[in-house]
Structure formats: C-alpha cells, structure tokens
Amino acid sequence: MPIAGSEIVKMLPGKRPCKDCGFPTCFAFAMKLASGGTTVDKCPYLSEETKAKLLDLLAPPIKLVTIGSGDNAVKIGNEEVIYRHEKTFVHSPGISLLISDKEDKAKIEEKIKKIKELQFPWVGVNLEANLLALYFESGDRNRFLDLVKKVYDSTDLGMVLISWEDMDTLFAARDICADRHPLVYPITKENIDEAIPKIKENPTPVGLHGHSVEELIPLTTKLKDAGIEELVLDPGSKNLLEAIRDQTFIRKAALKQGFKPLGYPTIGFPCFMAKDGLEEMLVGSTYINKWASIIVFSDFNQHSLLPILVQRLNIYTDPRFPMAVEEKYYEVGEPNEFSPVLVTSNWALTYFLVSSAVEATKVPAYVCVKDAEGLGVLTAWAAGKFSGDSVGTFIKKCGIEDKVKHRKLLIPGKVSRIKGELEDALDLKWEIIIGPRETTGIGAFLPGFAKQLKE
Ligand code: SF4
C-alpha cells in the first residue's frame, strides 16, 4: 500500500459526506482507495491538482511495464514487497533468449525453433521462456532489420531490441515491431537527448543502461519529465557480486524508501557476464532470486532451462495459497469404461505425483481430483476438506459415473477411515477400495487392480 487511508482522507473534501462516490463517508472512500478497491475518479469533487497528486501517491512503487502483446504479453514490475514471505511477488521475470545478427542462419533458425518448442507441462501449468532478445552486433543494418522481421513474422513473442552503436537502426527495428511493444535498449546518458523525440514518435518500453545505479537516476527523471514512463533499468552490473548489490539497492530504494526515480523493473544480462553456460545459468538463477524482471541468456537447452523455469515458478507463486489444480476428473492415457478410478485432493503436487505414477504404470485411468483448497490428502482430511461426505458428493457430480461401467473407487490408503462414510454418501452403489498409502505404491498396485476390473 503506497499511502495509508488516513493520509488520503486529509486530501478529500470531507466537508460533506455526500456519498456520490458510493461510500457512506469520505473516510470509507479513502480506506477503499488505499487498498486499491476503488479509483480516484469516483469522487467528483476533487480538484485536478489533488487528483494528480493522489494518482501519483497511489501508483505502485515499482512501475508496471508490458513487453509483447496479446497472450504473449510479459508484464513486469508492480511489485510491493522486498521479500516474498511479506505478501507475494507479483510478476515473474521474462526469460529471454539472445539472438545475435552475427549468428548464421541455421543457428538463428535453431534458436527460434528452440524457444517455441521448449515447453514443460509442470503441476498444471506450462513452463516456457517468453522473450527473444535481438542483438545488433554485425554492423550491417539490413542484416539486423532482416532478423527483426524474421522473428516478428515467425513468432508471437515479445522482443528486446539491442543496439549499442547505432540508434537509427535501433528505432528502425522498433518501427518494424512496434505493435508487439518491444523493449528498446540501451538508452544511456550519452544518447538520451537524441533518443527522447524518437521514443515519443512511437512509444514502446525503453531499457536504460548506466555504469552504476546512481547514473540511472537522472535518466529516469529526465524521461519521466518527458512523459516516458515505461522504463526498465540496467545498472551495468559486471559480475555476480555487483548484480546482487545493484538489484538489492534498487529494490530497497523503490520499496523501502519510496524513491520514485528507481521505481522501475530491472533487466539482467547473464549472457554478457558469464564465462560459460553453467556460470550463466547460476548468474541467471541469482537474478531470479534477486528481483530482476527480465533475464537474458545467450543460449539454453532443456536441461539448463527447466531448473530456471521451475525456480521462477516456485518463487513467483503466491505463498498465501497452495498451488492447486481444477476440481474434475482427469484422463491419464486413454481410459475406457473398465479403467480404474482413483480419487485424490487438488494440491498441485499431489495431482502431479499421482498422475505421473499412474502414467508410469501405462494403465489408462481416471484420476478424480477433489477441491480441498490446495491441501494434500491427509492434511485435507484433518481439515475436514476430504471427508467421506464431501468426496461422495464430488464423485456423484463430477460425471465419472457416466464414464465407467464398474463401481469401484480407489481411495488413498492414508484416508482409509473415510471408507464407511464414503460408501454411505455414494448410497452403497460404489465399492470403496483402499489403495496404497503413498504414490510410490501405485506402480505395484494399479496393474493388478486394473486386471481384476477387466475380468
Ligand atoms: Fe467524500 Fe467525495 Fe465520496 Fe462525497 S464523493 S463522500 S466528497 S469522497
């Protein structure tokens, strides 16, 4: 919360609780405004000056920036806390693959194919890298613009456009893909005056580069004064130590001190900092922990990318809510009317382990996942969210009775005690089978059970 309701109320008309904002008093409106539950324009009696002041005070301490468009838009920033356990981190960093225009055609094709194909289904979500960074390195303007066109035509991904030497080419590249909202990088103290009119011609996010955090401050101030606010910061960290120092400084200045000139998301370049692939991944991993909002890698493969994506997922899930999957029955393989039916809770990890264990047996089956507010089976049972009654109600309504001819339901061994209650809840039409206590037991249990069902 950037400003408290008790501070906002001092800026409101107050003299007449007219309720035109939909709240009984100015104080109620102020409290709601502070928590993000309403908007400044709902009070029609604010002066333009007060409105502007309130909008500024209520803006998130780290600006929201969007790179890319449509389903592939990568939103970064808008963060409110330094440490995840204080509330949650909001927007996970964009993972970007660097393509230099110096690379040969085959390598470029390979990288484009790679970013499209390296996707990992993981506990109900799809993990993938989501940005391409295009680097003007060859000195050949046409070659770089051709690369930008090629990537624009063959992918829907957001882009980071990088040109250190040639600003005209950088903005020409921006014009090719402006509707994709690319990040234009770098704007520096040397080129900022020349860049401002070009940025304003066709506004998209811009990446600022400084040789230190301090060098960024006049740059962000100048751009903000020019009305350019979709900014991403690069403090020019040259090694891991500097990266940790700079990221920490920027995050704390923005969130603890409310220092607006550093209230923007950041970008990190492990691709330019590391000696080899392993070091690059370690630097990238540190950037995930240390709040970078875009992380650019020179290359990756499935073995190096997957741990990075899982780390990002783990850190950017909301710690206040367990990861959960939707309540319904899931098909594993191609089950038929004689296939086993298992029931479990909707903690994403439980579902992932059970469905993976079933898949490994190669026995097609139905896995019925009951909403237990994202808790594991035993915890859910202890909390009254996996009782015989509630599981029975779910089985009746989920549609599984139309999918199988048999009436044998496999329940986790750990909650065998719900058997009687579940049979009653299912009107004694189902036979309740006590399954293994752990998912590791499914492999030994399921094939024999499936054979019995067929017979
Ligand atoms: Fe107060 Fe404005 Fe709401 Fe009226 S509309 S009660 S003046 S906040």
Side-chain angles (χ1 to χ4, degrees):
M1 189 167 63
I3 178 173
S6 53
E7 290 302 310
I8 293 175
V9 78
K10 293 177 194 163
M11 301 165 72
L12 298 179
K15 54 186 182 295
R16 47 171 192 173
C18 59
K19 306 183 187 174
D20 288 356
C21 55
F23 294 89
T25 60
C26 293
F27 185 77
F29 175 72
M31 296 309 282
K32 206 69 181 173
L33 199 55
S35 65
T38 188
T39 49
V40 170
D41 58 335
K42 292 287 183 315
C43 172
Y45 307 109
L46 296 174
S47 67
E48 285 308 312
E49 193 192 339
T50 309
K51 236 187 239 176
K53 199 168 172 195
L54 274 172
L55 284 173
D56 194 45
L57 288 168
L58 287 163
I62 296 182
K63 173 97 181 143
L64 177 70
V65 175
T66 304
I67 296 158
S69 58
D71 290 345
N72 290 307
V74 176
K75 289 185 184 301
I76 52 176
N78 229 5
E79 302 293 337
E80 291 179 23
V81 295
I82 294 177
Y83 302 110
R84 177 178 178 263
H85 62 260
E86 293 175 83
K87 188 174 176 189
T88 182
F89 293 165
V90 183
H91 290 120
S92 60
I95 302 295
S96 181
L97 177 59
L98 185 79
I99 302 180
S100 163
D101 68 342
K102 264 176 114 175
E103 288 174 298
D104 62 37
K105 276 189 180 163
K107 185 72 185 169
I108 291 171
E109 292 285 355
E110 183 200 314
K111 284 188 164 180
I112 293 174
K113 189 163 176 262
K114 188 183 285 188
I115 199 155
K116 284 183 185 171
E117 292 182 356
L118 279 182
Q119 309 219 357
F120 307 90
W122 190 268
V123 290
V125 291
N126 200 40
L127 303 183
E128 59 192 347
N130 46 1
L131 288 170
L132 279 166
L134 309 181
Y135 184 18
F136 182 29
E137 200 182 6
S138 66
D140 178 342
R141 174 186 168 97
N142 291 334
R143 193 176 165 122
F144 181 61
L145 297 183
D146 284 348
L147 171 65
V148 175
K149 276 186 209 128
K150 182 176 179 53
V151 168
Y152 179 75
D153 290 339
S154 55
T155 79
D156 293 325
L157 293 175
M159 288 171 255
V160 178
L161 305 172
I162 306 173
S163 169
W164 284 96
E165 306 294 337
D166 184 342
M167 199 198 292
D168 282 343
T169 301
L170 183 62
F171 285 101
R174 182 271 318 265
D175 291 340
I176 290 171
C177 57
D179 63 333
R180 199 74 68 74
H181 221 56
L183 178 76
V184 175
Y185 171 94
I187 303 304
T188 63
K189 68 176 183 188
E190 287 80 21
N191 68 15
I192 188 166
D193 292 323
E194 197 188 336
I196 285 176
K198 291 178 191 289
I199 297 167
K200 291 177 99 171
E201 273 168 26
N202 206 350
T204 69
V206 293
L208 305 184
H209 170 82
H211 293 102
S212 65
V213 174
E214 291 78 4
E215 200 175 298
L216 293 170
I217 294 168
L219 301 185
T220 59
T221 308
K222 196 175 232 182
L223 287 168
K224 189 174 181 214
D225 291 345
I228 300 164
E229 289 207 71
E230 279 209 289
L231 311 178
V232 177
L233 308 181
D234 165 27
S237 321
K238 290 187 281 303
N239 55 47
L240 191 57
L241 204 62
E242 288 186 11
I244 294 170
R245 179 197 65 194
D246 296 342
Q247 293 291 319
T248 306
F249 191 94
I250 291 172
R251 184 80 163 198
K252 290 193 172 174
L255 293 181
K256 269 195 149 174
Q257 272 80 47
F259 186 62
K260 298 262 179 191
L262 291 178
Y264 299 94
T266 59
I267 186 168
F269 291 96
C271 56
F272 299 142
M273 291 163 66
K275 289 189 297 294
D276 55 44
L278 177 60
E279 187 184 339
E280 192 174 326
M281 287 299 148
L282 291 172
V283 174
S285 161
T286 306
Y287 266 124
I288 290 177
N289 288 344
K290 287 291 171 189
W291 312 295
S293 295
I294 299 174
I295 302 162
V296 186
F297 292 98
S298 64
D299 207 352
F300 42 61
N301 58 34
Q302 60 177 331
H303 307 295
S304 55
L305 180 61
L306 180 59
I308 289 288
L309 296 178
V310 172
Q311 182 190 353
R312 178 180 68 169
L313 176 76
N314 287 340
I315 291 176
Y316 281 82
T317 49
D318 191 333
R320 298 166 298 175
F321 306 102
M323 283 191 73
V325 295
E326 188 189 347
E327 177 180 86
K328 64 177 189 177
Y329 69 77
Y330 292 79
E331 296 184 354
V332 181
E334 292 177 6
N336 59 34
E337 53 201 9
F338 301 108
S339 297
V341 178
L342 300 84
V343 66
T344 189
S345 73
N346 76 328
W347 186 28
L349 188 59
T350 300
Y351 165 71
F352 178 73
L353 289 172
V354 171
S355 57
S356 302
V358 173
E359 204 176 345
T361 65
K362 301 209 178 343
V363 174
Y366 293 99
V367 178
C368 298
V369 175
K370 181 188 173 311
D371 181 4
E373 295 180 13
L375 299 175
V377 168
L378 197 56
T379 317
W381 170 78
K385 299 183 192 311
F386 203 82
S387 63
D389 262 353
S390 61
V391 174
T393 307
F394 160 63
I395 291 294
K396 278 183 182 169
K397 74 168 190 206
C398 74
I400 192 66
E401 293 187 332
D402 299 329
K403 300 301 287 186
V404 290
K405 280 197 170 153
H406 67 81
R407 289 291 182 264
K408 288 182 194 284
L409 178 63
L410 198 56
I411 65 169
K414 275 185 178 162
V415 290
S416 56
R417 65 198 79 194
I418 71 169
K419 183 174 189 284
E421 193 186 14
L422 181 53
E423 281 169 346
D424 290 344
L426 290 168
D427 309 318
L428 302 177
K429 288 180 184 158
W430 284 76
E431 183 185 345
I432 307 304
I433 312 293
I434 310 293
R437 284 181 63 79
E438 305 290 344
T439 47
T440 46
I442 288 176
F445 181 88
L446 199 62
F449 178 61
K451 201 168 159 221
Q452 279 175 25
L453 283 176
K454 269 192 202 146
E455 286 166 1

